Each structure stands twice: as structure tokens, then as C-alpha cells.
Amino acid sequence: MADGYTGHRRRHSFVGSGVDDQMKEIRVKSLLPVRLDKYLMELYPALGQGRLNKALRENKIKLNGKKQPLSTRVQNGDVIRLFLREEQLEERPIPPAVFVYEDEDIIVAHKPAGIEVDGAATDTLLKRVQAKFAAEGKGTHAVLCHRLDTGTSGLILLAKNAAAEQFLTAAIKARRIEKRYLCVTFGRPQPPAALLHDYLVKDAARSVVRIVPSPAGGAKEVITGYETLAVSGRLALLEVELVTGRTHQIRAHLAHIGCPILGDSKYGNNAANRALHFKYQALCAWELRFPAKIEEERFAHLAGRTFRSEKPWYCQQVLDGTLQ
């Protein structure tokens, strides 16, 4: 080439009536073929791989009028249509995480509903933790010691070093750290308090789990305790103790007894979720209790400590009867 350019150049044009259009049309101008996902992420850094994957699953990305894999190579003259809101395309700063507790070894952070703990998404809890460190001028690194589902809010334990990671993961595995949740169920459980003891099997093909009565077929033991704190119409506010910690355990176990969590699109009552306008499951990991005695001297100051998140808004609405 005359100017010595060896890569690809691209420009784009938009078709639409204004900045608030729900559909953006991008006409590709590129000297060389380039992957669809790479092209879009360079154009809109805020999208990220996770958001692109989600948009493709929801049929919000069309290439020349058809749904195509993100690995497809776009060429000069191709037309990409994005059915995304303007704010989804904007690059926004990642907000800092909220810490309930922090010392030189561990962090207790609050995860809002709707963000993943980690992954390819632009906004995750771990990225918010790093954003907080960066804002405070700290070069600290943290690792997750357990997880919460995307739609679940509440407390997450993170370790700042290898010793803390080993201590926390061992304590969680040995069930020495108690995890208590608050949730709202569609249906009042009977009896009002119980310790549920069953088995759980994963259905990887459907990305769900099932509660079964025996350990046959590789099913894992699940133990879930609950106590009804209040009722309102068809709904109940429960405090739940997660004795074992399996994938989707609380959600699947409560659905198994006929009381799915409000807002749960996977195991719940979607008609009720829509009627009551719940986008995410009404489930919050609200309390972490450390054991009364900790032998490791470095972490002995945590003995007997209890950390709590703020109670989510729906708790009060069940208590005062405005949500039912």
C-alpha cells in the first residue's frame, strides 16, 4: 500500500433518526476481514465479551439480516444491526465495591443483584473490588473464596493473600463459617420452620439442578434450614441457613417444597414474577458467622464475629404487608 499500512482500517456509519434509537445500523468499512466480536468491542469497549454473548443469545445482533456467530468475520460493506439501548453501548466507569469489613488479610464485600462475581462481563464484583483499590491508590489484589448466583445479592468473602485464601476456603469447606440468607417465597412453607435434607443432581444440558430423594446417579447431599419470619398474602419472608453449599441449592430446595423464591426465572413462578415486577430472585446472603474459636493465630481476631449486609428492600415490604 502507498502509505505503508499493513493492518486493517475501519470506519462506520449509522442509520437512524436520533441518538435514542433502539436499533443501530453499522456499515462496515474495513480493509481486511475481522471477527464480528472484535469489531464491535473496538467500536464499543463497554460491550465486552460477556455482554456481547448475552446480546447474541437474545437475538440483538444481526449481520446482514441474520444471526451469526461472534466468530464470523465481517467484511467491507457488511451491515451490522444492534438492537441495544444507547446506555448499553456507552463506556461507563466501574463503580467501586462496597466493603462491609476489611483488614490486612480478608474482605467482606457486598454484591448487588444483577452482576456476576467474576467473568468476562464489563462489570463484575471482582472488577468493582479492583476499582475500589485503584481509587484508594492501593496495589492490592484479591481473590474470591466462594460465589453467589448473578441474581443473588449479599456478602462475599475475598482473600488478599495465599494464607487468607487457604484459611477461608478450608473454613467454608468444613462448614465452620455459617451462611444465612433472607428470601421471599411465593407460597408459605409448611411447617413454618424445618431442616430439609435431600440430594441434588445437576442437569448440565439444561443448566439446572434437581432435588431427588436418594444419592443415586451421583446426587450430592443437600441440607437447608429455614424459618418463617413473616407472611403477607401469598408470600413468606424466610431466614435460610445454607448448611451444605451446592449450586442453586436454596432456590431448588425451596421450589421442591412448593415455595419457589419470588423473582426466580429458573425455578420459580414466572407469572407471579411478572405480576410483581421482580427481575431477580428475592434472595440475599445477608449474614456470615465465624466460629467462636479459631486456632490460627493470624485469624483469631475473627472468632465469634458476625457480618451482616443491609436487609434488601423487599423484606420491609413483606413485614408491612405492601408486598403480597
Side-chain angles (χ1 to χ4, degrees):
M1 297 181 186
D3 62 0
Y5 183 76
T6 57
H8 59 268
R9 290 180 179 172
R10 65 191 69 131
R11 295 188 298 273
H12 58 274
S13 59
F14 300 108
V15 175
S17 58
V19 296
D20 294 325
D21 287 350
Q22 295 298 299
M23 187 274 284
K24 281 194 177 294
E25 184 174 286
I26 305 163
R27 298 188 183 277
V28 176
K29 290 189 177 181
S30 178
L31 296 179
L32 295 175
V34 60
R35 282 177 57 115
L36 174 60
D37 52 1
K38 184 177 180 182
Y39 190 92
L40 289 174
M41 283 192 289
E42 289 192 10
L43 204 57
Y44 298 109
L47 281 175
Q49 194 69 48
R51 189 172 288 181
L52 277 175
N53 288 331
K54 184 172 186 248
L56 187 70
R57 288 196 304 271
E58 296 174 351
N59 292 314
K60 293 181 178 179
I61 302 174
K62 302 287 185 180
L63 176 61
N64 298 325
K66 298 180 180 179
K67 179 180 178 180
Q68 299 285 2
L70 291 173
S71 59
T72 303
R73 294 188 177 273
V74 299
Q75 303 183 61
N76 191 54
D78 285 345
V79 177
I80 304 169
R81 288 189 174 94
L82 298 179
F83 297 86
L84 297 170
R85 297 187 304 276
E86 190 71 31
E87 57 265 27
Q88 292 177 288
L89 303 174
E90 295 174 354
E91 187 166 19
R92 298 182 178 183
I94 296 174
V98 174
F99 288 179
V100 174
Y101 173 82
E102 180 185 12
D103 62 27
E104 62 183 13
D105 293 308
I106 79 162
I107 298 165
V108 182
H110 174 79
K111 186 190 87 68
I115 68 167
E116 299 175 23
V117 289
D118 193 15
T122 304
D123 186 10
T124 68
L125 176 65
L126 202 54
K127 288 173 183 173
R128 290 190 179 196
V129 169
Q130 296 306 132
K132 180 175 174 64
F133 289 151
E136 295 173 351
K138 298 177 181 177
T140 312
H141 176 70
V143 296
L144 294 160
C145 295
H146 60 114
R147 309 183 76 82
L148 288 176
D149 295 334
T150 300
T152 301
S153 65
L155 301 182
I156 286 278
L157 288 165
L158 300 100
K160 291 183 175 181
N161 50 61
E165 182 182 11
Q166 183 178 2
F167 164 72
L168 289 173
T169 53
I172 291 169
K173 185 176 181 179
R175 304 177 188 172
R176 296 173 62 205
I177 297 176
E178 294 182 16
K179 301 177 186 177
R180 296 180 185 273
Y181 291 67
L182 293 171
C183 69
V184 176
T185 58
F186 185 72
R188 303 182 181 187
Q190 293 297 331
L195 184 67
L196 306 176
H197 191 170
D198 291 287
Y199 297 87
L200 177 149
V201 63
K202 289 185 179 181
D203 185 341
R206 297 173 55 216
S207 298
V208 296
V209 301
R210 292 183 292 109
I211 301 297
V212 293
S214 73
K220 305 289 187 180
E221 180 185 46
V222 284
I223 304 173
T224 310
Y226 72 85
E227 179 183 358
T228 303
L229 303 180
V231 294
S232 177
R234 304 161 293 175
L235 309 179
L237 174 64
L238 309 183
E239 181 179 79
V240 179
E241 181 180 0
L242 188 66
V243 181
T244 54
R246 310 295 183 192
T247 302
H248 298 176
Q249 176 179 322
I250 295 175
R251 297 163 61 188
H253 224 167
L254 292 177
H256 180 69
I257 64 169
C259 298
I261 294 175
L262 188 63
D264 192 339
S265 60
K266 195 177 287 281
Y267 302 99
N269 185 313
N270 285 324
N273 298 342
R274 288 191 296 270
L276 294 171
H277 308 291
F278 269 72
K279 184 177 180 181
Y280 302 113
Q281 58 260 21
L283 178 63
C284 175
W286 91 288
E287 184 180 273
L288 291 170
R289 294 183 182 181
F290 280 79
K293 183 179 180 181
I294 295 176
E295 295 181 358
E296 297 91 332
E297 184 178 351
R298 182 170 180 171
F299 305 105
H301 62 284
L302 295 169
R305 295 288 302 270
T306 297
F307 300 101
R308 293 192 178 103
S309 169
E310 287 189 12
K311 292 183 179 179
W313 60 271
Y314 45 76
C315 293
Q316 188 57 46
Q317 289 200 2
V318 173
L319 290 168
D320 60 27
T322 56
L323 179 65
Q324 55 183 299

